């Protein structure tokens, strides 16, 4: 190979090609499973290093007829090195759920620990792994949806690339011009309420735009869409709108996020079982 062709070959190898095209160019055929894992790992790594944050959340429950009820929630999240994050959800309104608190200790290689404090009973209830497919506080989110989706708890398979706007629904204008990789993830936990999930993740910043959930029978159960993304600390993207629609019941739940504060004075002591009873 002469010098001119050698320089051209090096230029080709230096191009920022999508992962699915780079492997054939190098003479290696990456599997769909490897590509799916790469995408999930990229999304995970894009969120690392935030430390902790607090935020406000409005949960809107919508029944099949369109009637709505609203709940106001405070959220705290603590990043944990080499394990899953710790999260706390504290309900402030309405009065019938005021003081209810939900604590998660996430884990990468084992079942998450989850506890729910019920002020009317003045006791902390542990959520067993067998019950995590149940509804979280009457919403269309299951208990397992409330935990971070750790990479190690799934296997993966890349499916295709397509325009993000094709999947974004009402958020299509926000996704205009973005390319999404679509891949499947399969829970390794036999007690999961899902057989598989399809994920739409943009190639630009590894943001999720849609997740389709399939129940244990393989039926399309729910769809979660994301919108109103904002960037924090010049690095971390967070969706301010998340909507989960249940296709079997016609019900929906919208989570609206606001008032993000990063790198506050939170520590491990703010995420304990005993602290659930004291938090206000």
């Amino acid at each position: 190979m002469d010098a001119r062709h050698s320089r051209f070959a090096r230029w080709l190898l230096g191009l920022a090609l999508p992962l699915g095209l780079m492997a054939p160019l190098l003479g290696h055929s990456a599997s769909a499973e490897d590509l799916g894992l790469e995408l999930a790992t990229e999304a995970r790594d894009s969120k690392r290093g935030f430390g902790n944050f607090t935020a406000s959340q409005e949960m809107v429950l919508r029944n099949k007829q369109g009637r709505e009820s609203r709940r106001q929630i405070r959220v705290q999240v603590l990043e944990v090195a080499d394990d899953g994050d710790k999260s706390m959800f504290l309900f402030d309104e309405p009065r019938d759920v005021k003081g209810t608190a939900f604590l998660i200790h996430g884990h990468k290689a084992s079942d998450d620990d989850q506890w729910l404090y019920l002020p009317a009973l003045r006791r902390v209830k542990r959520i067993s792994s067998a019950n995590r497919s149940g509804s979280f506080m009457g919403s269309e989110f299951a208990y397992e949806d409330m935990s971070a989706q750790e990479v190690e708890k799934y296997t993966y398979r890349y499916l295709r690339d397509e325009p993000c706007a094709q999947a974004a629904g009402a958020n299509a204008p926000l996704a205009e011009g973005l390319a999404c990789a679509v891949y499947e993830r399969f829970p390794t936990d036999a007690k999961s309420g899902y057989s598989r999930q399809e994920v739409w993740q943009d190639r630009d910043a590894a943001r999720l735009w849609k997740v389709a959930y399939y129940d244990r029978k393989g039926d399309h159960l729910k769809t979660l869409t994301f919108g109103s993304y904002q960037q924090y600390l010049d690095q971390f993207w967070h969706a301010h709108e998340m909507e989960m629609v249940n296709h079997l019941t016609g019900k929906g739940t919208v989570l609206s996020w606001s008032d993000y504060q990063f790198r506050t004075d939170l520590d491990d002591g703010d995420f304990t079982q005993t602290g659930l009873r004291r938090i206000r």
Side-chain angles (χ1 to χ4, degrees):
M1 180 182 295
D2 61 29
R4 179 171 59 87
H5 286 93
S6 177
R7 286 194 300 271
F8 179 70
R10 289 197 298 271
W11 174 78
L12 277 177
L13 292 174
L15 286 175
L17 293 176
L19 183 61
L21 297 179
M22 180 63 82
L25 180 64
L26 295 175
H28 302 287
S29 180
S31 69
E33 290 75 14
D34 289 340
L35 295 176
L37 176 59
E38 281 284 342
L39 289 161
T41 302
E42 180 186 7
R44 189 264 317 274
D45 291 348
S46 72
K47 298 178 177 67
R48 282 181 166 173
F50 67 87
N52 64 65
F53 71 80
T54 63
S56 298
Q57 184 187 99
E58 181 181 57
M59 174 186 286
V60 180
L61 309 179
R62 184 179 300 122
N63 67 16
K64 188 175 182 179
Q65 291 73 37
R67 289 192 293 270
E68 296 182 349
S69 60
R70 298 172 182 270
R71 296 170 176 178
Q72 301 297 326
I73 307 167
R74 282 176 282 153
V75 183
Q76 300 176 169
V77 178
L78 179 69
E79 187 174 24
V80 178
D82 301 321
D83 204 358
D85 298 338
K86 296 181 179 181
S87 305
M88 178 84 79
F89 298 80
L90 177 65
F91 287 74
D92 289 329
E93 295 180 13
R95 182 177 298 179
D96 63 341
V97 296
K98 182 178 175 62
T100 300
F102 181 51
L103 173 64
I104 304 170
H105 286 186
H107 302 295
K108 290 184 177 181
S110 61
D111 290 340
D112 293 348
D113 294 308
Q114 297 183 339
W115 300 271
L116 186 67
Y117 174 64
L118 302 169
L121 302 178
R122 296 185 179 180
R123 73 180 183 92
V124 174
K125 174 185 176 182
R126 185 183 182 91
I127 307 299
S128 73
S129 57
N131 294 330
R132 288 180 189 163
S133 61
S135 168
F136 173 64
M137 295 296 289
S139 74
E140 298 313 306
F141 288 83
Y143 282 99
E144 65 179 297
D145 301 332
M146 304 304 293
S147 294
Q149 308 304 299
E150 299 292 345
V151 170
E152 293 82 359
K153 292 184 177 180
Y154 296 88
T155 59
Y156 301 88
R157 183 170 61 195
Y158 167 79
L159 296 176
R160 62 188 181 277
D161 272 27
E162 68 181 36
C164 293
Q166 190 169 316
N171 299 309
L174 301 173
E176 195 67 41
L178 294 175
C180 266
V182 186
Y183 60 94
E184 294 177 303
R185 59 189 183 195
F186 304 87
T188 57
D189 183 0
K191 298 182 290 294
S192 171
Y194 309 118
S195 58
R196 67 184 179 96
Q197 302 166 20
E198 288 185 9
V199 181
W200 281 255
Q201 176 178 313
D202 74 50
R203 292 282 191 179
D204 182 59
R207 293 164 294 206
L208 301 191
W209 290 92
K210 185 169 85 169
V211 181
Y213 298 84
Y214 293 81
D215 64 19
R216 300 301 300 183
K217 297 178 181 179
D219 294 327
H220 186 186
L221 175 63
K222 302 186 297 188
T223 298
L224 175 63
T225 53
F226 302 78
S228 300
Y229 271 101
Q230 293 188 30
Q231 191 177 40
Y232 293 89
L233 304 179
D234 297 320
Q235 180 178 358
F236 305 108
W237 289 97
H238 285 265
H240 280 229
E241 298 289 336
M242 303 167 63
E243 181 175 13
M244 182 78 84
V245 175
N246 188 313
H247 301 294
L248 300 186
T249 67
K251 297 180 180 179
T253 300
V254 177
L255 302 180
S256 298
W257 298 75
S258 61
D259 303 325
Y260 277 98
Q261 300 292 326
F262 283 82
R263 296 173 182 170
T264 68
D265 59 356
L266 292 174
D267 58 32
D268 282 323
D270 296 300
F271 298 86
T272 65
Q273 293 181 62
T274 55
L276 279 173
R277 294 184 173 90
R278 298 193 304 267
I279 192 168
R280 293 292 182 270

